[in-house]
Amino acid sequence: MPDDQPSGAPADPHPDRAADQPVAATADRPTDEPDAATAERAADAVAPPAASPTAGPRVVITYCTQCRWLLRAAWYTQELLTTFHRELGEVALRPGNGGVFTVEADGQVVWDRKVEGGFPEITVLKRRVRDVVAPDKPLGHSDGL
């Protein structure tokens, strides 16, 4: 160990390098090609994601944020995605206010809390969504109710 080196300090891995010469980190060096993350962010910013050619119908659940109905809307979303995982393209949650709670399937209102007088039983909601997006799909025990 050299005499000018404090005890316990690591030795210089490049003893032939001049002490006054700075070492540039790889990230500090300019390159002609952007890194993969930068290129991906740039591509996302320029082109919006294209709709899948096999995308199915869209369900939109509009819920009142003032009434704190997000969890109810999320539960309905989970149930619909589980039941119609092959038939639906997406289920979207849309925040609203003023006591709104509606469910639209492919642009058609299938449930409106103000018109119907409350919230749907899940079996009723599944049947109404099914009737719009996949009329031939059997729902098992939900069909008989």
Side-chain angles (χ1 to χ4, degrees):
M1 178 180 288
D3 292 334
D4 61 339
Q5 182 91 12
S7 164
D12 187 1
H14 305 287
D16 57 336
R17 185 180 65 207
D20 59 342
Q21 194 175 28
V23 177
T26 306
D28 295 340
R29 294 184 194 147
T31 62
D32 292 337
E33 296 181 27
D35 67 348
T38 303
E40 186 175 328
R41 283 193 303 272
D44 287 344
V46 174
S52 168
T54 59
R58 182 175 199 240
V59 171
V60 178
I61 299 176
T62 305
Y63 65 95
C64 179
T65 58
Q66 296 167 319
C67 301
R68 302 196 180 274
W69 288 335
L70 173 60
L71 289 178
R72 181 186 302 266
W75 179 70
Y76 284 131
T77 298
Q78 174 187 334
E79 289 291 320
L80 292 174
L81 285 171
T82 300
T83 301
F84 301 104
H85 62 277
R86 289 188 179 101
E87 293 80 13
L88 292 177
E90 76 177 303
V91 178
L93 296 176
R94 179 185 299 150
N97 55 34
V100 66
F101 195 92
T102 60
V103 180
E104 300 170 39
D106 218 15
Q108 177 181 339
V109 176
V110 296
W111 189 271
D112 185 335
R113 187 191 71 81
K114 291 181 179 177
V115 172
E116 306 280 346
F119 297 98
E121 292 293 325
I122 193 60
T123 53
V124 172
L125 183 61
K126 286 180 181 182
R127 274 185 296 192
R128 291 188 182 187
V129 169
R130 185 267 319 264
D131 291 346
V132 174
V133 302
D136 296 331
K137 180 178 178 73
L139 292 177
H141 70 280
S142 296
D143 275 331
L145 300 176

XYZ file of all heavy atoms in Angstrom, residues 21-59:
265
model
N -6.421 14.222 -14.634
C -7.228 14.008 -15.827
C -8.601 13.465 -15.423
O -8.699 12.407 -14.815
C -6.522 13.019 -16.744
C -7.082 12.989 -18.128
C -6.253 12.089 -19.013
O -5.636 11.144 -18.533
N -6.244 12.369 -20.292
N -9.726 14.215 -15.705
C -11.057 13.740 -15.308
C -11.482 12.544 -16.151
O -11.072 12.388 -17.292
C -11.970 14.936 -15.569
C -11.266 15.736 -16.609
C -9.789 15.505 -16.397
N -12.308 11.720 -15.551
C -12.859 10.562 -16.247
C -14.307 10.888 -16.583
O -15.095 11.200 -15.701
C -12.790 9.301 -15.349
C -13.434 8.124 -16.056
C -11.366 9.014 -14.965
N -14.661 10.820 -17.858
C -16.033 11.104 -18.277
C -16.859 9.835 -18.152
O -16.449 8.775 -18.618
C -16.050 11.604 -19.719
N -18.005 9.960 -17.538
C -18.911 8.821 -17.429
C -19.540 8.564 -18.793
O -19.675 9.464 -19.614
C -19.992 9.102 -16.397
N -19.947 7.347 -19.028
C -20.550 6.986 -20.307
C -21.798 7.819 -20.577
O -22.041 8.253 -21.685
C -20.929 5.488 -20.300
O -19.772 4.742 -19.954
C -21.437 5.054 -21.651
N -22.595 8.104 -19.545
C -23.825 8.868 -19.731
C -23.525 10.317 -20.101
O -24.357 10.988 -20.678
C -24.664 8.813 -18.463
N -22.322 10.826 -19.763
C -21.979 12.201 -20.067
C -21.520 12.383 -21.504
O -21.451 13.490 -22.005
C -20.870 12.695 -19.132
C -21.340 12.745 -17.691
O -22.567 12.770 -17.486
O -20.485 12.764 -16.794
N -21.174 11.309 -22.152
C -20.673 11.396 -23.520
C -21.843 11.489 -24.493
O -22.776 10.701 -24.431
C -19.847 10.157 -23.861
C -18.588 10.065 -23.065
C -17.778 8.876 -23.520
N -16.754 8.617 -22.520
C -16.287 7.425 -22.213
N -16.758 6.362 -22.821
N -15.361 7.281 -21.304
N -21.794 12.454 -25.411
C -22.874 12.526 -26.409
C -22.767 11.365 -27.378
O -21.687 10.929 -27.736
C -22.621 13.867 -27.105
C -21.187 14.178 -26.863
C -20.809 13.514 -25.565
N -23.936 10.875 -27.763
C -23.977 9.797 -28.747
C -24.910 10.196 -29.865
O -25.744 11.082 -29.715
C -24.484 8.484 -28.123
O -25.814 8.700 -27.663
C -23.602 8.020 -26.990
N -24.773 9.539 -30.987
C -25.645 9.808 -32.123
C -26.995 9.132 -31.972
O -27.972 9.547 -32.557
C -24.989 9.330 -33.422
C -23.762 10.168 -33.754
O -23.688 11.317 -33.279
O -22.896 9.661 -34.490
N -27.058 8.064 -31.164
C -28.297 7.311 -31.007
C -28.861 7.527 -29.605
O -28.140 7.404 -28.624
C -28.040 5.824 -31.207
C -27.590 5.477 -32.599
C -27.370 3.996 -32.751
O -28.020 3.223 -32.014
O -26.562 3.612 -33.589
N -30.170 7.855 -29.491
C -30.763 7.979 -28.159
C -30.908 6.604 -27.529
O -30.975 5.591 -28.213
C -32.135 8.606 -28.428
C -32.443 8.239 -29.841
C -31.111 8.129 -30.558
N -30.943 6.585 -26.193
C -31.147 5.301 -25.533
C -32.575 4.820 -25.784
O -33.429 5.570 -26.236
C -30.817 5.372 -24.037
C -31.775 6.261 -23.259
O -32.559 7.002 -23.888
O -31.749 6.223 -22.027
N -32.835 3.572 -25.493
C -34.130 2.951 -25.825
C -35.289 3.636 -25.108
O -36.356 3.831 -25.689
C -34.099 1.467 -25.483
N -35.104 4.025 -23.848
C -36.184 4.655 -23.086
C -36.556 6.005 -23.693
O -37.729 6.350 -23.805
C -35.786 4.813 -21.629
N -35.551 6.789 -24.093
C -35.820 8.087 -24.703
C -36.553 7.913 -26.024
O -37.505 8.628 -26.320
C -34.502 8.852 -24.926
O -33.829 8.975 -23.683
C -34.749 10.233 -25.516
N -36.125 6.962 -26.816
C -36.772 6.711 -28.105
C -38.215 6.274 -27.912
O -39.107 6.691 -28.648
C -36.000 5.654 -28.884
N -38.481 5.448 -26.907
C -39.845 4.964 -26.656
C -40.749 6.107 -26.203
O -41.880 6.230 -26.658
C -39.809 3.864 -25.596
C -41.150 3.211 -25.379
C -41.074 2.042 -24.427
O -40.030 1.357 -24.398
O -42.057 1.825 -23.706
N -40.236 6.968 -25.317
C -41.037 8.119 -24.865
C -41.341 9.046 -26.024
O -42.439 9.564 -26.138
C -40.309 8.870 -23.757
C -40.381 8.201 -22.409
C -39.915 9.122 -21.296
N -38.567 9.622 -21.489
C -37.451 9.018 -21.092
N -37.533 7.874 -20.460
N -36.274 9.553 -21.307
N -40.379 9.271 -26.892
C -40.589 10.138 -28.040
C -41.633 9.543 -28.973
O -42.485 10.250 -29.493
C -39.270 10.362 -28.779
N -41.586 8.244 -29.186
C -42.563 7.589 -30.063
C -43.963 7.673 -29.475
O -44.938 7.902 -30.195
C -42.178 6.136 -30.299
N -44.082 7.515 -28.147
C -45.387 7.603 -27.497
C -45.958 9.010 -27.587
O -47.153 9.198 -27.714
C -45.296 7.189 -26.026
C -45.104 5.693 -25.865
O -45.347 4.949 -26.842
O -44.704 5.264 -24.765
N -45.083 10.015 -27.488
C -45.531 11.403 -27.518
C -45.999 11.801 -28.908
O -46.898 12.608 -29.058
C -44.416 12.320 -27.050
N -45.425 11.225 -29.945
C -45.747 11.598 -31.307
C -46.994 10.885 -31.810
O -47.904 11.501 -32.334
C -44.548 11.288 -32.244
C -44.922 11.527 -33.686
C -43.355 12.130 -31.851
N -47.051 9.595 -31.629
C -48.155 8.810 -32.182
C -48.994 8.219 -31.059
O -48.485 7.506 -30.216
C -47.605 7.682 -33.051
N -50.285 8.541 -31.023
C -51.141 7.912 -30.018
C -51.281 6.432 -30.312
O -51.134 6.008 -31.464
C -52.483 8.638 -30.179
C -52.462 9.159 -31.577
C -51.011 9.417 -31.913
N -51.559 5.633 -29.283
C -51.697 4.204 -29.531
C -52.847 3.933 -30.486
O -53.923 4.509 -30.355
C -51.965 3.607 -28.145
C -52.324 4.758 -27.283
C -51.775 5.996 -27.905
N -52.601 3.085 -31.440
C -53.619 2.734 -32.427
C -54.593 1.730 -31.829
O -54.227 0.890 -31.022
C -52.963 2.144 -33.667
N -55.835 1.838 -32.226
C -56.841 0.882 -31.769
C -56.553 -0.470 -32.401
O -56.189 -0.560 -33.563
C -58.236 1.358 -32.148
N -56.734 -1.484 -31.619
C -56.513 -2.831 -32.114
C -57.582 -3.170 -33.143
O -58.750 -2.831 -32.956
C -56.580 -3.815 -30.939
O -56.640 -5.121 -31.408
N -57.212 -3.825 -34.230
C -58.224 -4.183 -35.227
C -59.260 -5.168 -34.684
O -60.330 -5.307 -35.228
C -57.415 -4.804 -36.364
C -56.094 -5.156 -35.789
C -55.888 -4.264 -34.599
N -58.928 -5.845 -33.578
C -59.868 -6.793 -32.998
C -60.543 -6.226 -31.746
O -61.138 -6.963 -30.986
C -59.148 -8.102 -32.633
O -58.109 -7.798 -31.697
C -58.562 -8.771 -33.855
N -60.419 -4.913 -31.539
C -61.013 -4.306 -30.347
C -62.525 -4.487 -30.363
O -63.177 -4.305 -31.378
C -60.667 -2.824 -30.270
N -63.055 -4.850 -29.201
C -64.485 -5.073 -29.085
C -65.207 -3.832 -28.616
O -64.647 -2.737 -28.579
N -66.445 -3.981 -28.242
C -67.253 -2.862 -27.764
C -66.675 -2.245 -26.498
O -65.923 -2.873 -25.761
C -68.620 -3.488 -27.474
C -68.622 -4.784 -28.202
C -67.204 -5.220 -28.290
N -67.082 -1.025 -26.254
C -66.605 -0.259 -25.100
C -67.758 -0.062 -24.122
O -68.861 0.313 -24.512
C -66.098 1.097 -25.577
C -65.544 1.973 -24.501
C -64.954 3.229 -25.125
N -64.048 3.877 -24.213
C -64.197 5.119 -23.767
N -65.223 5.851 -24.186
N -63.328 5.630 -22.936
N -67.475 -0.301 -22.843
C -68.429 -0.018 -21.779
C -67.876 1.157 -20.981
O -66.683 1.191 -20.661
C -68.641 -1.244 -20.853
C -69.465 -0.877 -19.639
C -69.291 -2.377 -21.627
